[in-house]
Amino acid sequence: MVSDVHGNARDLARAGEGADALICLGDLVLFLDYADHSRGIFPDLFGVENADRLVELRTARRFEEARELGARLWGGVEGDRAAVIERAVRKQYAEMFPAFPTPTYATYGNVDMPHLWSEFAEAGTTVLDGGRAEIGGWVFGFVGGGLRTPMRTPYEIGDEEYAAKIEALGEVDVLCTHIPPEVPELVYDTVARRFERGSRALLDAIHRTRPRYSLFGHVHQPLARRMRIGATECVNVGHFASSGTPWALEW
């Protein structure tokens, strides 16, 4: 089980060793590494100094200034912005998807581009978003993406649409999502010093349907990596990019 791979194709290729299946909860793309500002699409395009400044502004929650910086930088780039980003994402996906073992079950992260996944996902990779799969006799439900934020990452959707996908899963043994349930200890990032967006609908579903596990990523340095909500064990299975170590679920 991995999440928030962010360009770590080397460790991803070994993540499924000894397992019956690999589950990936998204964020394959690396736009900007907050630990190493020289890595990612943004510094490749605009340099490390501008990456340093962008991280500084975002960490201080000065999102409007961060957008203004981005607009100035993109103004100096030749070609359509969306096309430039998509080319860079395609390059990363061409490295990431072949690293998935067979079988892999995957859903999107908030920085992923879902419309490209069908092009790169190979036969052994099942992509699910609002869908269920039976693995080893247990039912797993998958919901990808994130909720809308001032960061405006590629795959953010409205609260109602997200809640509808959670509702459509019904009762499952394991709830697999990119973002965590809306619990302060699970959504607060201790390094970025901010609350990320978690899902109230996911939290409600945990209380209502009582799955065995709720598994997620998104928050890279959470205040709590796991906690129990009623009968459900909630576990943050990221941040794979820095650890390179998958989380194993055995039953």
Side-chain angles (χ1 to χ4, degrees), residues 194-208:
R194 65 169 179 258
F195 290 96
E196 302 289 355
R197 284 214 64 190
S199 169
R200 180 70 197 186
L202 173 57
L203 179 60
D204 290 344
I206 290 169
H207 284 298
R208 186 177 67 254

Side-chain angles (χ1 to χ4, degrees), residues 4 26-27 108-112 144-147 153-156 178-179 218:
D4 298 82
D27 272 8
Y108 316 115
N110 61 293
V111 301
D112 285 312
L147 298 174
T153 52
Y155 188 42
E156 296 180 352
H178 178 67
I179 62 174
H218 188 57

Side-chain angles (χ1 to χ4, degrees), residues 148-208:
R148 292 198 177 107
T149 72
M151 304 284 278
R152 299 180 182 176
T153 52
Y155 188 42
E156 296 180 352
I157 63 176
D159 289 58
E160 290 186 3
E161 182 181 352
Y162 193 91
K165 289 196 293 184
I166 292 289
E167 180 69 22
L169 295 179
E171 294 187 6
V172 298
D173 294 297
V174 185
L175 262 172
C176 297
T177 58
H178 178 67
I179 62 174
E182 192 180 78
V183 176
E185 294 88 343
L186 299 178
V187 301
Y188 185 74
D189 191 304
T190 60
V191 174
R193 301 193 303 278
R194 65 169 179 258
F195 290 96
E196 302 289 355
R197 284 214 64 190
S199 169
R200 180 70 197 186
L202 173 57
L203 179 60
D204 290 344
I206 290 169
H207 284 298
R208 186 177 67 254

Side-chain angles (χ1 to χ4, degrees), residues 3 7 12 23 47 51 55 57 81 94 100 105 107 109 111-113 119 124 135 148 158 169 175 197 206 240 246-247:
S3 183
L12 183 63
I23 292 174
V55 170
L57 291 172
R81 173 176 176 171
F100 281 139
Y105 299 85
T107 195
V111 301
D112 285 312
M113 292 187 170
E119 179 180 337
I135 306 172
R148 292 198 177 107
L169 295 179
L175 262 172
R197 284 214 64 190
I206 290 169
F240 185 77
W247 184 82

Side-chain angles (χ1 to χ4, degrees), residues 31 41-42 45-46 54 58 66-89 113 150-154:
F31 278 96
I41 293 171
F42 189 91
L45 291 171
F46 305 120
L54 183 68
R58 284 183 170 179
R67 283 194 288 271
E68 290 173 359
L69 171 63
R72 289 197 303 273
L73 294 172
W74 280 106
V77 173
E78 293 185 7
D80 177 69
R81 173 176 176 171
V84 170
I85 292 176
E86 185 166 307
R87 281 197 299 271
V89 171
M113 292 187 170
M151 304 284 278
R152 299 180 182 176
T153 52

Side-chain angles (χ1 to χ4, degrees), residues 33-139:
D33 188 335
Y34 277 56
D36 180 355
H37 303 170
S38 68
R39 297 182 64 242
I41 293 171
F42 189 91
D44 287 348
L45 291 171
F46 305 120
V48 176
E49 288 187 4
N50 285 316
D52 290 341
R53 179 59 176 160
L54 183 68
V55 170
E56 178 186 353
L57 291 172
R58 284 183 170 179
T59 301
R61 303 189 64 82
R62 293 156 63 183
F63 296 119
E64 189 58 39
E65 292 177 65
R67 283 194 288 271
E68 290 173 359
L69 171 63
R72 289 197 303 273
L73 294 172
W74 280 106
V77 173
E78 293 185 7
D80 177 69
R81 173 176 176 171
V84 170
I85 292 176
E86 185 166 307
R87 281 197 299 271
V89 171
R90 283 177 180 275
K91 183 178 179 181
Q92 291 191 8
Y93 280 169
E95 296 178 0
M96 304 303 295
F97 277 91
F100 281 139
T102 297
T104 290
Y105 299 85
T107 195
Y108 316 115
N110 61 293
V111 301
D112 285 312
M113 292 187 170
H115 71 280
L116 296 180
W117 279 39
S118 60
E119 179 180 337
F120 289 93
E122 299 178 358
T125 299
T126 302
V127 180
L128 296 157
D129 185 18
R132 297 153 52 106
E134 184 177 325
I135 306 172
W138 281 14
V139 177

